[in-house]
Amino acid sequence: MNPLFHKAFDSLLFTVTPDYKIEISEQMIDGADEGSFRDYLLSIKGNNIIMPEKFYPDKNLLAIHYEQYRIHQ
């Protein structure tokens, strides 16, 4: 993840579901100016993350973050 997405993840503006799908809050999408970044967010929303070759994300930790994200929305 790049620094922007790390901060957005920590701020519960986006999450990765326990089945590795990208969820992006409407707040983050609405906050993006019309144009390429907004289009990019919309293009990745609902897609699976690109999995690393090793050290897969922990499904339990993703589940905890996803629940916090859902409550925050």
Side-chain angles (χ1 to χ4, degrees):
M1 260 193 279
N2 69 35
L4 171 72
F5 281 100
H6 267 286
K7 186 170 182 168
F9 187 84
D10 291 345
S11 299
L12 300 172
L13 293 173
F14 99 97
T15 193
V16 177
T17 66
D19 60 346
Y20 306 118
K21 294 205 182 299
I22 299 168
E23 290 290 327
I24 302 173
S25 72
E26 292 302 317
Q27 180 183 358
M28 186 169 178
I29 292 170
D30 291 344
D33 292 335
E34 292 290 327
S36 59
F37 184 62
R38 187 173 196 278
D39 292 344
Y40 173 71
L41 292 176
L42 292 170
S43 75
I44 64 170
K45 185 176 180 177
N47 290 346
N48 288 331
I49 64 169
I50 298 170
M51 295 297 285
E53 290 184 22
K54 52 184 171 178
F55 307 119
Y56 284 9
D58 185 307
K59 285 187 174 198
N60 292 324
L61 294 176
L62 290 176
I64 291 167
H65 188 270
Y66 180 62
E67 281 304 310
Q68 292 172 341
Y69 168 86
R70 287 183 50 209
I71 291 167
H72 186 70
Q73 300 309 303

